[in-house]
Amino acid sequence: MLKFAPILLAVIYGLAMYRFSVWRTSRELDQLSSELADPKLQPIMNALAKALDLPRVRVNIYEIEPVNGLAAPDGRIFITRGFYKKFLDGEVSGEELASVIAHELGHVALGHSRRRMIDFSGQNALRTALAMVIGRFVPGVGPWIANTLTSLLAARLSRSDEYEADAYAAALLTKAGVGVAPQISLFRKLDALTQSQAGRAPAWLLSHPKTDDRIAALEKLEARWT
């Protein structure tokens, strides 16, 4: 029994770190967010709510500059201040912004937001736990194997989640009378919109499917439905 104690401790540590990461993320979002209330967006938000048979869809603004949409572990939907500024500046239309909101609603509805973290704290906890476990059997290279396995697993899950959320958003937008076109047009702008000051895409985008592949998948759905 004692020989399995380090493995059990590693699992407990991983779970504890995951819980802490969820708590920390929720606290940060509480402190740095407020409800999005824009009369120009209200008609399209009402259309999304009607399509979902809900009284309303609540969206919050997360006060950070990077362009992104987020689905928190507790099910809340966020658009970053940077993304909202793109809308105010006319670089993104209301329908395109709604396509991001529909995508994040997909993550919540499909259960993705519960198993993935907004930051990489959950993955780091898993990586640490795996390194401890694998290190028991393969000394010296445990951390390297754990890092590789975690990265591959996280990327695969993330890409699968993105395709599923894209399809959910496409169905929701179609039902709401918006259609798939805003999703596709936004994807074509995405690379330029998300470039950092150093000219590199943000880390979260690296784990997403290629933009061209996402557009192709949406076009197939659109062709099937029409």
Side-chain angles (χ1 to χ4, degrees):
M1 182 67 182
L2 288 177
K3 66 180 180 180
F4 294 107
I7 298 176
L8 181 60
L9 289 173
V11 173
I12 293 173
Y13 171 78
L15 290 173
M17 287 300 296
Y18 176 80
R19 291 292 183 183
F20 173 75
S21 185
V22 171
W23 171 81
R24 184 186 63 183
T25 299
S26 297
R27 183 180 180 185
E28 179 180 343
L29 290 173
D30 288 341
Q31 294 174 342
L32 296 177
S33 67
S34 58
E35 184 173 359
L36 170 62
D38 188 321
K40 295 179 181 178
L41 291 172
Q42 200 57 51
I44 196 167
M45 297 303 297
N46 290 341
L48 290 180
K50 183 178 180 180
L52 290 168
D53 197 24
L54 295 173
R56 69 172 185 141
V57 172
R58 173 168 176 154
V59 179
N60 303 285
I61 293 184
Y62 184 25
E63 299 292 344
I64 60 174
E65 288 304 314
V67 173
N68 203 353
L70 309 170
D74 60 10
R76 287 180 294 170
I77 304 299
F78 296 83
I79 292 293
T80 63
R81 175 63 65 178
F83 217 146
Y84 183 56
K85 284 182 179 179
K86 298 294 184 183
F87 166 71
L88 295 177
D89 293 341
E91 296 181 54
V92 172
S93 70
E95 289 77 13
E96 289 171 338
L97 194 65
S99 76
V100 179
I101 293 169
H103 177 91
E104 299 306 327
L105 286 169
H107 281 310
V108 174
L110 297 170
H112 301 159
S113 57
R114 292 185 179 182
R115 71 168 183 254
R116 70 176 196 169
M117 299 305 300
I118 293 173
D119 58 17
F120 295 108
S121 298
Q123 294 177 28
N124 289 337
L126 176 61
R127 186 177 293 110
T128 301
L130 280 176
M132 294 173 65
V133 173
I134 296 173
R136 294 275 299 171
F137 303 98
V138 191
V141 295
W144 180 82
I145 296 175
N147 183 67
T148 301
L149 289 175
T150 305
S151 298
L152 289 174
L153 176 62
R156 182 173 181 178
L157 288 174
S158 180
R159 292 189 182 104
S160 176
D161 287 354
E162 294 308 314
Y163 280 121
E164 290 179 3
D166 285 348
Y168 179 96
L172 175 56
L173 292 167
T174 299
K175 186 177 180 181
V178 177
V180 180
Q183 270 182 292
I184 294 175
S185 63
L186 181 63
F187 279 143
R188 288 179 175 143
K189 300 177 182 178
L190 199 58
D191 290 339
L193 290 173
T194 56
Q195 291 300 315
S196 67
Q197 292 180 353
R200 295 188 300 270
W204 64 267
L205 193 57
L206 299 180
S207 62
H208 285 46
K210 292 181 179 179
T211 301
D212 289 344
D213 292 342
R214 297 174 78 176
I215 291 174
L218 288 173
E219 288 175 339
K220 287 182 180 179
L221 284 175
E222 187 178 31
R224 186 190 308 165
W225 293 338
T226 56

